[in-house]
Amino acid sequence: CVNNTLPLSWQVRIQIITEVCSALIFLHKHKPHPVVHGDLKPGNILLDANLVSKLSDFGISRLLLESSVTGSEAHFTTQPMGTPAYMDPEFFGTGELTPQSDTYSFGITILRLLTGRAPLRLTRVVQEALNDNDLHSVLDHSAGEWPLVQAEQLARIGLQCSELSRQKRPDLELVCGGWFNL
């Protein structure tokens, strides 16, 4: 709520999640090589006058496109370039940036839009609330009265996407495509 702007409603937040998911699916399915954003976070999601989402800051992905001549679907680097709280934890150990790295960042972004909370330890807070059947207590109520069934589905998608292991993260097209009817 910069400059005293009103908080985004839950409907707009779900629209943002849907649009970002659609954009990531498009980037990750790019042929002949996937495009990885590499620094997905709320600050890199811009909203136009109609509150339509636009991904910004593709500086890292340009580097990936340049490195794509190797035929690999990953980019290796020893210098993290994204925002640590949103970065794939496996990236820090392997230096490998993949489409699943964006999936992790997308999961944290979903949880931020649901809760309005800072990203650190956010997965734990949301998981504990779900375990206690008390998701309502961690939702951002400035967005209005969230429909609990949809909020719970989004929380579960966010947690799936932000799994620590890349192998456990879902394919965005399968998860989001079905949920958002993309």
Side-chain angles (χ1 to χ4, degrees):
C1 297
V2 177
N3 299 325
N4 295 321
T5 57
L6 294 175
L8 298 173
S9 69
W10 65 266
Q11 295 95 331
V12 170
R13 294 176 194 211
I14 289 176
Q15 175 186 319
I16 291 167
I17 292 167
T18 303
E19 292 167 348
V20 169
C21 188
S22 179
L24 289 175
I25 290 168
F26 176 80
L27 292 171
H28 295 168
K29 301 297 179 187
H30 183 268
K31 301 292 180 197
H33 304 286
V35 176
V36 178
H37 186 281
D39 194 19
L40 181 66
K41 60 184 177 181
N44 287 340
I45 301 170
L46 306 179
L47 301 177
D48 71 13
N50 297 315
L51 300 178
V52 174
S53 305
K54 311 288 183 190
L55 290 183
S56 69
D57 193 358
F58 278 82
I60 294 173
S61 63
R62 275 195 297 270
L63 294 173
L64 292 174
L65 285 171
E66 290 169 10
S67 71
S68 69
V69 294
T70 64
S72 170
E73 290 193 4
H75 172 70
F76 294 90
T77 181
T78 56
Q79 297 181 323
M81 296 176 268
T83 305
Y86 295 90
M87 288 180 68
D88 176 2
E90 286 194 14
F91 171 79
F92 292 107
T94 65
E96 183 182 20
L97 197 59
T98 69
Q100 292 296 69
S101 302
D102 282 348
T103 300
Y104 179 86
S105 304
F106 178 63
I108 299 298
T109 300
I110 290 173
L111 299 178
R112 291 260 354 249
L113 286 166
L114 280 172
T115 66
R117 295 175 182 228
L120 297 176
R121 295 183 210 70
L122 185 54
T123 55
R124 181 184 311 159
V125 168
V126 172
Q127 186 63 64
E128 288 173 0
L130 283 172
N131 291 347
D132 295 341
N133 203 21
D134 191 26
L135 182 63
H136 185 266
S137 68
V138 298
L139 294 176
D140 184 357
H141 297 289
S142 73
E145 197 60 36
W146 287 88
L148 283 178
V149 171
Q150 289 174 315
E152 183 175 328
Q153 290 173 336
L154 282 172
R156 292 191 188 286
I157 290 171
L159 289 171
Q160 278 182 304
C161 290
S162 57
E163 280 282 345
L164 294 178
S165 168
R166 283 185 186 151
Q167 277 81 26
K168 292 183 180 180
R169 294 180 206 144
D171 180 323
L172 289 180
E173 192 166 26
L174 297 176
V175 173
C176 298
W179 199 83
F180 302 122
N181 296 316
L182 297 174

